Amino acid sequence: MNTERIKHLLAKVEKPGRYTGGEYGELIKDKNTVDVRMAFCFPDTYEIGMSNLGVKILRHCLNSLPYVWCERAYAPWDDMEREMRKEGVPLYALESGDDLKDMDILAFTLQYELAYTNMVNMLDLSGIPMLAADRGEEYPLVIAGGPCAYNPEPVADFVDVFSIGEGEFALCELVALYRECKQLGKTKEQFLREAAKLKGMYVPSLYTVSYKEDGTIAAFTPKYEDVPAVIEKTFLTDMDSAPFPTEHELSFIEAVHDRMVLEVFRGCIRGCRFCQAGMVYRPVREKSPDTLNAQAKALYKSTGYNEISMCSLSISDYSGLGEALEKLLGWTEKERVNLSLPSMRIDSFYAELMEKAMNVRQSGLTFAPEAGTQRLRDVINKNISEDEIMAGCAAAFDGGRSSLKLYFMNGLPTETNDDIRGIAGLAQRIVDLYYSKKRSKGKGGVSVTISVSCFVPKPFTPFQWMPQDRIDELKRKQLLLKECITTRKISYNYHDSEVSFLEAVFARGDRRLSAAIAEAVRRGQRFDSWDEFFDYGKWMQIFEDTGIDPEFYANRTMGFDEILPWDHIDCGVTKEFLIREAKAAIAERTTPDCRTRCSACGMQDKGCTVCKKGGKE
Amino acid sequence: MQPPVKYTLRIFWQKKGNSKYVSHLDTQRAVVRALIRSGLPLYYSQGFNPHPKLVFALPVSIFQEALYDVFDIDITERISPKRAAEMLGAVMPGDTPVIGAAYPVKKFKELYAASYLISLDTDLKAAEVEKALRGEVVVEKKSKKKCEMTDISPMIYGVSAVDTDRGVILKATLSAAPDAYLNPKYLVDFLGDKVRFSETVREMLFDKEMQPLK
Ligand code: SF4
Ligand code: SF4
């Protein structure tokens, strides 16, 4: 882009390279030969957004349509925003430098709830009315997708169309429809009616919600007969043929993940009951080792990165892991390319893999038992025993490692003080295990880090009905755990309970929250996931002033028979299954993984191949 | 295993346009990736964390452009510089083109001076700018440890200025010796608040004979 008009601004901000485009691999099209101008908007910093694989995949799909040019935009850091507002420069797309308000379509990806204010602020900074209802024909269409779109309601007032599920093909269909409507001179309203009929597309303005006196939802109804009452997610069935960009822009300034990212599979065979990803991305769909290897080679050629990171939900469940590692290590070592694996499930952390993994750089050894006692692990369906954890740690220590990180959660349903103490006890036994081994008396000794987040009930999980602990209670538990740790070999860090509270409000929120988000943006709230910007007091004031009781969303036990704000979204798993799982949790009963036995989650009729292959109903 | 033989190859390139907003560290990373993409027979450092060798003659500061910039790389085959320039040029980011390659003639420590073109957005006249910079030029100069008032005029080898409709264009030749590098920003600093905005382009790097560094 031509940066002439912003050169005075760039001179005053940190990391100006965030705002100029021009990276290697940047995709420039002739704007006069395309019919649809789009910008993919990432509501967080450039460095985070540039690292997002989902965005790369979707832009690749869109840009492979010859009539579309889909550029990039990110949330400017506050120093740049200040300058832009002062100088009257609206937000622009990085490739062309053209204003976002002149685009046809802005596509936002919603990766986490705390980015909602950023999305709305980006609209405002573009000179575009925040509320969909206030946007006439002259403004771009605003669409959104990503994990948070499974409960789109808190941001329903800002977005014209949500894409539910995996958007590779669905988005292209939507854009094709847009182009057709544009060429036929149809209005936005006409287009939206048509869009609502596409699979996976949710147009919030075409539904009305009424509420009961107690604040719960009385009815959620389509305004017209041809608008579907339930919106089914779209998803890919074959990962080997799935679109995957083997070329993309390379951030000049250091991105958060400055490396090749290989998506190994989607979905997860486990059904941890707090985990939204494990539910909404069902069923498991794997890439073959050959596909992975070919994609890795192509990526290496086009990027020159010296690190490959294999990314998936629970990587050690990948059935082709051994073969894939073998194929990759066959050339990466010679080329001096490092392989890195994300956090592993401790139970499948076999010695054999450990051996291979020695040639594989791991971003530290991390395990996620999530709960400190077997009882609570059964409740959350983390099917892993203490013996397995210990065996995994023993293998790691034998392999010469002396530091590892364990992830836990506070505030899980049914959690007691014993469960909290259990976290410290488990960490202590791991430390003891280290010192019980003769050879592991190296300098420095062992270091076990326990990182504890706060449970946030998420839509489409068996725990979606369960309350989050109140902030005081979470703080008490955090302190209790601190007191239980008696050695400096264990370092302990925990998440801010106030941040998690806000997350819970939005996670289980309904449409009425849009008013609070709009007000928050007007009052300057943004980058809520950043410590330097998060302001609990301000948010509480905003809720009060907009007549919203945040505890209604975060701390309430919702009823199995209640209409939940996201009930009109069909993510594949059925409510019956989630209720079954919720009841099993209370009964401290575990459910086997998909490969061991199919639990008929709802996907069995919708294209799951796992149950047909091995699992038996 | 015998470490392979190595040859040092000098790459001439430019850092212009939007790449001026990229810091040296980030530029270095981008160049390493380009080297890997290029398919050049790179020589890797031996040891635990092997990496290609890359040494810059004199990196420009962020916000400055360079029309004649230089870095050295090590390769394991003595390939033709023209071919090497093509291979690397094909994969460098757009605003950092390769303009040539050669086996080095001079060492980097023989670097002596650099010439700059500095556009000043100012109400000052060219004559005033020249006059100011031809006298004693005392600025607060940062060195490794301290920050002190220094007369930098001995490091200013020549200045000339012309008036334009937007302000003044200043041409300056400044010391660029390894032990006496003068960043052109000090000249702008010295002119003070009267300069509203400036843009700096480094045009050339010179050796002691005032020949382009080869
Ligand atoms: S292993 Fe559990 S927590 Fe991890 S992705 Fe699968 S379901 Fe979620
Ligand atoms: S249908 Fe069965 S095997 Fe498939 S995802 Fe659901 S529970 Fe797992």
Side-chain angles (χ1 to χ4, degrees):
Chain A
M1 63 175 279
N2 184 338
T3 48
E4 188 61 25
R5 83 167 162 167
I6 51 166
K7 68 180 184 189
H8 294 90
L9 285 63
L10 293 175
K12 291 184 201 156
V13 301
E14 241 179 85
K15 299 197 203 168
R18 289 163 161 174
Y19 310 112
T20 63
E23 306 89 340
Y24 180 76
E26 175 188 59
L27 181 82
I28 303 290
K29 289 194 182 187
D30 177 358
K31 55 179 151 192
N32 301 312
T33 63
V34 297
D35 301 332
V36 183
R37 297 280 310 270
M38 287 184 76
F40 221 102
C41 305
F42 194 92
D44 211 316
T45 62
Y46 173 88
E47 295 92 313
I48 298 177
M50 279 293 281
S51 305
N52 187 281
L53 181 62
V55 172
K56 285 186 187 123
I57 293 175
L58 293 177
R59 285 190 55 242
H60 165 73
C61 293
L62 291 162
N63 279 319
S64 61
L65 300 173
Y67 57 84
V68 177
W69 185 16
C70 182
E71 307 180 48
R72 294 164 296 147
Y74 304 91
W77 195 241
D78 78 319
D79 56 352
M80 183 62 174
E81 180 182 343
R82 233 177 297 127
E83 294 301 323
M84 290 172 76
R85 289 193 185 274
K86 200 166 81 195
E87 302 294 328
V89 174
L91 196 56
Y92 51 85
L94 286 188
E95 281 82 355
S96 63
D98 291 340
D99 294 348
L100 292 189
K101 68 172 181 302
D102 297 329
M103 298 280 154
D104 292 304
I105 304 176
L106 301 182
F108 283 90
T109 175
L110 301 173
Q111 300 285 323
Y112 22 84
E113 292 84 1
L114 296 187
Y116 290 165
T117 48
N118 275 9
M119 171 179 83
V120 177
N121 188 45
M122 283 172 78
L123 290 175
D124 188 56
L125 190 56
S126 304
I128 297 172
M130 299 177 191
L131 296 174
D134 295 341
R135 292 195 294 263
E137 300 286 336
E138 70 274 35
Y139 292 107
L141 185 78
V142 176
I143 65 177
C148 285
Y150 282 101
N151 176 19
E153 292 308 290
V155 281
D157 288 358
F158 310 109
V159 174
D160 295 311
V161 188
F162 287 96
S163 162
I164 311 296
E166 295 165 6
E168 279 91 340
F169 299 117
L171 267 188
C172 292
E173 244 182 78
L174 181 75
V175 173
L177 176 71
Y178 177 91
R179 178 197 192 210
E180 192 190 305
C181 289
K182 189 178 164 187
Q183 283 167 348
L184 294 174
K186 292 196 178 169
T187 62
K188 191 186 269 189
E189 210 184 317
Q190 288 171 317
F191 163 76
L192 290 175
R193 276 291 282 284
E194 297 286 314
K197 292 179 202 157
L198 295 178
K199 193 174 171 197
M201 293 301 155
Y202 167 52
V203 180
S205 60
L206 298 179
Y207 299 78
T208 47
V209 198
S210 55
Y211 300 91
K212 295 184 189 166
E213 222 153 86
D214 64 5
T216 59
I217 294 172
F220 189 96
T221 17
K223 286 183 185 163
Y224 308 97
E225 249 173 32
D226 60 347
V227 173
V230 171
I231 300 93
E232 243 182 275
K233 79 166 176 189
T234 53
F235 64 99
L236 303 186
T237 47
D238 176 27
M239 289 308 290
D240 282 327
S241 63
F244 185 79
T246 48
E247 279 176 20
H248 52 77
E249 310 68 22
L250 302 184
S251 173
F252 240 136
I253 66 171
E254 192 167 20
V256 175
H257 300 300
D258 231 352
R259 57 182 98 102
M260 296 171 254
V261 181
L262 281 185
E263 186 187 20
V264 180
F265 62 91
R266 284 192 192 164
C268 179
I269 58 165
R270 321 257 154 196
C272 303
R273 290 174 179 138
F274 55 84
C275 175
Q276 188 187 46
M279 296 292 159
V280 299
Y281 296 128
R282 289 179 177 219
V284 154
R285 289 146 294 153
E286 296 186 334
K287 280 186 191 169
S288 68
D290 282 325
T291 303
L292 285 179
N293 193 37
Q295 291 177 345
K297 279 185 181 164
L299 267 176
Y300 176 62
K301 253 193 101 178
S302 78
T303 64
Y305 277 129
N306 64 359
E307 184 173 349
I308 300 176
S309 103
M310 298 177 72
C311 129
S312 273
L313 286 175
S314 176
I315 190 85
S316 42
D317 288 329
Y318 175 43
S319 58
L321 188 57
E323 192 188 337
L325 284 180
E326 211 154 290
K327 288 202 152 94
L328 289 166
L329 290 168
W331 60 274
T332 53
E333 289 192 338
K334 196 176 100 251
E335 299 284 341
R336 302 171 181 87
V337 172
N338 293 313
L339 271 181
S340 74
L341 295 173
S343 71
M344 313 274 295
R345 268 185 70 90
I346 227 163
D347 57 347
S348 33
F349 199 77
Y350 298 115
E352 179 207 352
L353 181 64
M354 189 62 219
E355 218 161 87
K356 277 207 189 89
M358 291 311 289
N359 300 320
V360 173
R361 190 191 289 177
Q362 278 164 326
S363 23
L365 272 188
T366 55
F367 302 125
E370 304 293 359
T373 60
Q374 195 57 50
R375 185 200 69 80
L376 192 52
R377 282 196 295 275
D378 289 346
V379 169
I380 64 175
N381 205 39
K382 197 88 203 173
N383 290 331
I384 176 175
S385 69
E386 173 140 350
D387 285 350
E388 288 168 316
I389 296 175
M390 286 303 169
C393 293
F397 293 149
D398 288 339
R401 313 225 168 201
S402 60
S403 79
L404 47 91
K405 192 167 181 182
L406 301 170
Y407 289 99
F408 295 95
M409 238 181 244
N410 259 170
L412 286 162
T414 78
E415 185 185 49
T416 65
N417 288 349
D418 284 343
D419 297 310
I420 312 265
R421 290 188 199 105
I423 296 175
L426 179 61
Q428 185 63 51
R429 286 191 292 283
I430 292 172
V431 170
D432 296 344
L433 172 76
Y434 180 84
Y435 288 105
S436 72
K437 292 185 167 288
K438 260 211 196 95
R439 46 172 297 198
S440 49
K441 297 234 166 68
K443 32 181 160 90
V446 67
S447 128
V448 175
T449 303
I450 51 184
S451 176
V452 185
S453 62
C454 307
F455 165 68
V456 177
K458 295 270 174 150
F460 299 111
T461 66
F463 289 168
Q464 65 180 356
W465 295 277
M466 318 275 184
Q468 185 180 54
D469 273 348
R470 282 171 203 283
I471 290 174
D472 291 348
E473 177 67 356
L474 286 169
K475 287 189 173 158
R476 183 191 69 80
K477 288 176 171 177
Q478 289 169 342
L479 212 67
L480 172 63
L481 177 51
K482 194 170 179 188
E483 285 161 4
C484 295
I485 297 168
T486 50
T487 162
R488 284 165 67 189
K489 305 285 173 204
I490 301 174
S491 36
Y492 166 45
N493 59 61
Y494 52 87
H495 286 199
D496 184 339
S497 52
E498 291 171 346
V499 172
S500 305
F501 172 72
L502 192 64
E503 236 177 278
V505 173
F506 289 140
R508 297 202 300 173
D510 58 36
R511 278 185 186 201
R512 290 169 293 190
L513 284 175
S514 288
I517 294 170
E519 185 56 24
V521 171
R522 281 184 215 111
R523 294 188 194 178
Q525 269 320 104
R526 61 214 54 173
F527 286 110
D528 291 299
S529 58
W530 294 75
D531 286 349
E532 50 267 68
F533 294 103
F534 179 75
D535 189 334
Y536 177 72
K538 217 162 151 191
W539 269 106
M540 290 306 109
Q541 190 61 51
I542 289 161
F543 286 133
E544 202 186 315
D545 297 347
T546 48
I548 283 164
D549 170 16
E551 299 192 350
F552 174 81
Y553 300 102
N555 307 119
R556 187 170 64 92
T557 304
M558 299 184 173
F560 286 152
D561 53 358
E562 195 178 316
I563 299 179
L564 301 173
W566 52 91
D567 271 356
H568 54 288
I569 304 290
D570 175 3
C571 79
V573 304
T574 57
K575 203 166 187 177
E576 294 71 52
F577 169 73
L578 295 177
I579 291 177
R580 258 190 343 257
E581 280 294 291
K583 289 181 174 162
I586 301 304
E588 301 177 9
R589 225 176 35 238
T590 61
T591 298
D593 68 73
C594 289
R595 285 196 187 120
T596 307
R597 185 172 56 99
C598 168
S599 303
C601 68
M603 290 307 295
Q604 68 275 16
D605 314 319
K606 295 179 193 142
C608 176
T609 52
V610 182
C611 41
K612 302 203 170 74
K613 266 187 206 146
K616 291 173 284 289
E617 224 318 59
Chain B
M1 206 176 74
Q2 197 83 17
V5 281
K6 63 173 177 183
Y7 305 94
T8 297
L9 182 70
R10 185 155 293 176
I11 306 289
F12 303 93
W13 64 296
Q14 298 182 323
K15 187 168 186 279
K16 56 182 191 179
N18 289 346
S19 73
K20 74 175 168 204
Y21 296 112
V22 180
S23 71
H24 175 59
L25 206 70
D26 289 332
T27 307
Q28 238 173 334
R29 244 198 313 270
V31 171
V32 169
R33 289 197 298 259
L35 287 171
I36 294 173
R37 290 193 295 269
S38 73
L40 285 166
L42 300 176
Y43 176 88
Y44 279 79
S45 66
Q46 309 294 304
F48 189 66
N49 187 14
H51 50 271
K53 177 97 175 290
L54 174 66
V55 184
F56 288 77
L58 183 65
V60 282
S61 301
I62 188 165
F63 297 121
Q64 297 175 7
E65 294 177 78
L67 300 183
Y68 184 90
D69 214 340
V70 183
F71 58 74
D72 283 356
I73 58 172
D74 284 351
I75 50 178
T76 57
E77 285 165 48
R78 207 178 151 85
I79 61 171
S80 106
K82 186 162 171 283
R83 176 92 191 97
E86 278 165 14
M87 286 170 79
L88 184 58
V91 293
M92 283 283 273
D95 285 336
T96 56
V98 169
I99 51 174
Y103 287 97
V105 180
K106 297 273 161 106
K107 296 216 164 68
F108 283 163
K109 64 171 196 268
E110 289 173 68
L111 195 61
Y112 176 70
S115 61
Y116 301 88
L117 211 57
I118 308 172
S119 326
L120 303 171
D121 176 4
T122 179
D123 297 328
L124 289 170
K125 291 284 154 232
E128 296 172 273
V129 171
E130 277 180 1
K131 184 160 178 266
L133 294 174
R134 280 176 184 160
E136 212 178 58
V137 182
V138 178
V139 295
E140 200 174 355
K141 189 169 185 297
K142 261 196 244 150
S143 63
K144 283 207 182 75
K145 279 195 197 95
K146 43 191 186 203
C147 192
E148 55 186 4
M149 300 308 286
T150 316
D151 177 14
I152 56 172
S153 58
M155 288 191 269
I156 303 176
Y157 298 150
V159 285
S160 65
V162 289
D163 288 309
T164 69
D165 47 358
R166 297 231 208 114
V168 170
I169 290 186
L170 170 66
K171 283 182 86 134
T173 304
L174 309 178
S175 169
D179 54 348
Y181 167 63
L182 181 63
N183 191 319
K185 81 180 176 70
Y186 288 114
L187 271 53
V188 180
D189 284 356
F190 180 71
L191 296 170
D193 291 345
K194 290 191 183 111
V195 176
R196 287 178 292 265
F197 194 71
S198 70
E199 285 169 281
T200 300
V201 180
R202 192 178 74 198
E203 289 192 302
M204 186 47 75
L205 292 174
F206 298 103
D207 61 19
K208 288 188 178 118
E209 285 80 48
M210 284 310 278
Q211 294 301 312
L213 184 80
K214 284 268 158 65

